[in-house]
Structure formats: structure tokens, C-alpha cells
Amino acid sequence: MNGVSVIICCYNSSDKLPETLYHISQQQLTAELPVEVILVDNGSTDTTCAVASAYWEQVKAPYPLRIISETIPGKNYAIETGISAAAYDLILFCDDDNLLSADYIQRGYTYFLQHPALGLLGGFGIPRLTIAPPPWFERYAYQYALGPQHTRARRDITLERGYVYGAGSILKKEAYLTLKKKGFQYTLTGRRNGIIIPGEDNELGYAVSLIGYQIHSNPELTFIHVLSESRLTWAYIKRLKKSVAYSAALLIPYKERRNERLLNKKSTFSWTKKMLSECFYFLNGYVRYPFAATDFKTDIVLDRQARLGSIQSLFANRKLFINKHSWLPWLQSN
């Protein structure tokens, strides 16, 4: 049906939700635009559901809130459960620490009407930090779903980038249902070999573009991303760089298929060459900067973490990379 379903995937979010829900409840909408809010509880052990229900009743929002449960840990599972429950044809993913601007839903909906080939739309994240920013923050702000998602005036980033960050993104449900009919399954399932794997938003963007939909970024869609102190530590950004690199390696099949289908480039991927390259640059960093400490030469330390994550992913998933015929089986017959 015509309208927007706002999905909030939560895990122990009781302290964050009131402000997030407040900004959703204050959206400036035209009378003909129906909206619903779906909170997907992904195994919370706190009072997330009770807080959400009580607060929504308190603010007397003009559209309904439904609370559903997904017991399998992993954001992608919560996302799929939310989409399955959604009544409307546009899905807005709002994280529990995202504060949407007052015109976010209406502006996003209008943008889709103006671009019928669009499958996925991204916004512009603005940081709100609970502590003073660390010295490396501005350089690596993009890792936190912040700032612009395109480098040119053109908002169509289907070929340039091929994905948008999940926070604040809006998905055409038709595109997702088409993917599922083709047999699409997430490669990034939250955890792999004991490592937390982010990047389900990247994977969804690549998949949507591979079946012919456009990916756009609109800087007029703004939201505040509230970042807690725990996410602004040196230890956190190192873990983040490593896990992002691990998941990026798992998305190589998508990049190769995009090169073939959208850019007419023949796949030249070699697991051996990729592994040797990552090992070379990882070891080269130690040879050139053997005494780089955690608070010295930030780029070098974080590059090491990224190389290590990529090497671990390539090694742990070697069969996936070597057997190209097994790549993205849902695409083979389409």
C-alpha cells in the first residue's frame, strides 16, 4: 500500500528510544501520507518494549506503533522481520540513536515519487557527540554513517558507490520482494567465525542495484546521529575498522558482479593475488613503522587493523572466494 513504514531495530535501547520516538512522532506530513512505526526487538534484556509503548502513548502520535520480536541475534534478521511486517511500500530504517529532521519522511516520500526507478535512498547524518571529539574523529566520521554519500553534484550513486549507509535509508519494498523471489539471502549475517560483521546495508544496496534499481543519496534528508562515549574510544574505532574490512572482503562477489553487469568489466579477481597483496601491505606497515603506537600515526595503526580483518576474512572464507560459480547463486539464473 501507498505509505511509509518506519522500522527501528532495537537491542537494549530503553535509554535511547524516547528521543528517537519523539522526533518520529513530530514529523510534518501531508494528510494523504499514511505512516506506521514498527519496533523490532532483537532479544533485549532491558525494558525496551515497555519504554517504547509507554512513551508512544504519552506523545499521542498520529500514527500507530507496533512492537514485534525477532529472537535470532543479528540486525539483518531484525530487518527482514520488520520488512515482512510492514504494511506500506516504502521502508525507512531509523536506528535507535537517529533523530530524524521534521520533514524527513515527507521529503523522502516525495523524492521517490519524483524518481520511479529508485530502489534505495540515503540521507545525511549529522553527529551529536556526548563527549569532546577525539583527534581522529573528523577523519573517520564516515565510519559512523555521517556526512555526504556522494562526491559529485549528481545524486544517482548507482555506479559511483552502489550503496548507502543503513541509518536513515529508505527502501522501496518492491525491490526487496523482487530480491527475495530471486532467492536473495544475506551473506553478512551479523556474526561469522565469532566476529561481529557489519555491512548489511552495503550488501542490500549492491543487491538492489544488481536487479536494475537506482541508488540515490539526498543531502536534504538530514538526521542527527547521537554517538555515545563508548563508540568514540580508540579501542572501538580499531575494532570497527577491522570488522568493516572483514565484511568488505565478503562483499567482493558483489563488486565483481557489479563490474560485469553495470560497468561491463570482466572479473579478474584472484584469491591468491588478493591475499598476497593484503599480507604484503600488512607486513610492509610493520617494516616501515615498527614502533607506531596506538596514539601515534593513526592512519598506520588503523590500516593495519583493516588489513588484518581482510586477511582473516579471505582465509576463513577461502572456498567462497575460489569457487566463483558459487558466488551469489540467486543471480545465476536471472
Side-chain angles (χ1 to χ4, degrees), residues 132-144:
W136 46 262
F137 178 76
E138 184 175 354
R139 183 171 179 81
Y140 293 97
Y142 67 92
Q143 297 281 7
Y144 294 88

Side-chain angles (χ1 to χ4, degrees), residues 296-317:
F296 174 69
K297 295 189 180 298
T298 301
D299 291 349
I300 297 168
V301 175
L302 294 184
D303 181 71
R304 288 177 183 173
Q305 291 296 308
R307 300 288 180 185
L308 182 58
S310 182
I311 290 168
Q312 288 181 339
S313 183
L314 288 166
F315 182 78
N317 303 287

Side-chain angles (χ1 to χ4, degrees), residues 1 3 10 30 44-45 47 103 108 122 130 140 144 199 204 211-212 214 219 225 239 244 257 301 308 331:
M1 290 192 296
C10 294
T30 57
S44 296
T45 57
T47 57
D103 61 351
T130 55
Y140 293 97
Y144 294 88
L204 182 60
I211 59 171
Q214 293 179 359
H225 194 175
R239 290 196 305 271
V244 167
R257 288 291 179 260
V301 175
L308 182 58
L331 266 180

Side-chain angles (χ1 to χ4, degrees), residues 65-275:
L65 167 71
R66 284 190 285 150
I67 299 176
I68 59 178
S69 176
E70 173 51 66
T71 57
I72 302 175
K75 189 173 182 180
N76 64 298
Y77 296 112
I79 286 173
E80 291 189 319
T81 297
I83 294 175
S84 297
Y88 298 123
D89 54 4
L90 291 181
I91 311 293
L92 194 165
F93 299 109
C94 180
D95 289 349
D96 60 6
D97 53 7
N98 295 167
L99 312 179
L100 303 180
S101 60
D103 61 351
Y104 203 99
I105 294 177
Q106 184 66 55
R107 190 181 289 272
Y109 174 78
T110 302
Y111 192 90
F112 266 90
L113 292 180
Q114 296 168 344
H115 300 84
L118 183 60
L120 188 62
L121 176 64
F124 189 104
I126 301 169
R128 192 179 85 187
L129 280 56
T130 55
I131 61 171
W136 46 262
F137 178 76
E138 184 175 354
R139 183 171 179 81
Y140 293 97
Y142 67 92
Q143 297 281 7
Y144 294 88
L146 298 170
Q149 303 194 66
H150 58 280
T151 57
R152 301 174 295 176
R154 183 175 172 82
R155 296 181 179 183
D156 182 349
I157 56 173
T158 311
L159 301 181
E160 173 188 349
R161 178 178 165 107
Y163 65 90
V164 294
Y165 41 68
S169 63
I170 305 176
L171 170 70
K172 182 178 287 185
K173 189 175 181 180
E174 170 192 283
Y176 179 80
L177 294 178
T178 300
L179 282 173
K180 296 304 287 185
K181 287 179 181 178
K182 291 177 178 292
F184 168 76
Q185 296 290 334
Y186 277 101
T187 300
L188 305 180
T189 55
R191 285 183 180 270
R192 184 180 286 259
N193 301 314
I195 299 175
I196 297 176
I197 307 299
E200 71 287 332
D201 43 6
N202 299 38
E203 182 170 10
L204 182 60
Y206 287 150
V208 167
S209 67
L210 279 169
I211 59 171
Y213 288 90
Q214 293 179 359
I215 314 294
H216 286 201
S217 168
N218 185 352
E220 296 174 354
L221 287 175
T222 62
F223 65 92
I224 294 172
H225 194 175
V226 182
L227 296 174
S228 63
E229 181 177 356
S230 63
R231 298 182 67 188
L232 297 169
T233 65
W234 181 238
Y236 180 88
I237 188 64
K238 287 202 300 180
R239 290 196 305 271
L240 182 62
K241 288 291 288 187
K242 183 178 178 181
S243 60
V244 167
Y246 191 102
S247 64
L250 285 168
L251 293 178
I252 287 174
Y254 282 96
K255 295 175 183 177
E256 294 296 303
R257 288 291 179 260
R258 278 173 47 80
N259 284 341
E260 291 176 346
R261 290 199 168 197
L262 303 182
L263 303 177
N264 295 318
K265 294 181 180 179
K266 186 177 180 180
S267 174
T268 59
F269 175 78
S270 163
W271 180 90
T272 302
K273 288 182 180 179
K274 179 66 173 176
M275 176 63 90

Side-chain angles (χ1 to χ4, degrees), residues 277-329:
S277 173
E278 292 296 316
C279 289
F280 171 79
Y281 285 110
F282 177 75
L283 295 173
N284 185 57
Y286 275 103
V287 172
R288 295 181 62 190
Y289 305 101
F291 303 111
T294 56
D295 58 350
F296 174 69
K297 295 189 180 298
T298 301
D299 291 349
I300 297 168
V301 175
L302 294 184
D303 181 71
R304 288 177 183 173
Q305 291 296 308
R307 300 288 180 185
L308 182 58
S310 182
I311 290 168
Q312 288 181 339
S313 183
L314 288 166
F315 182 78
N317 303 287
R318 182 171 179 269
K319 290 183 179 180
L320 169 68
F321 295 117
I322 290 180
N323 184 10
K324 291 186 179 182
H325 297 293
S326 70
W327 284 3
L328 312 183

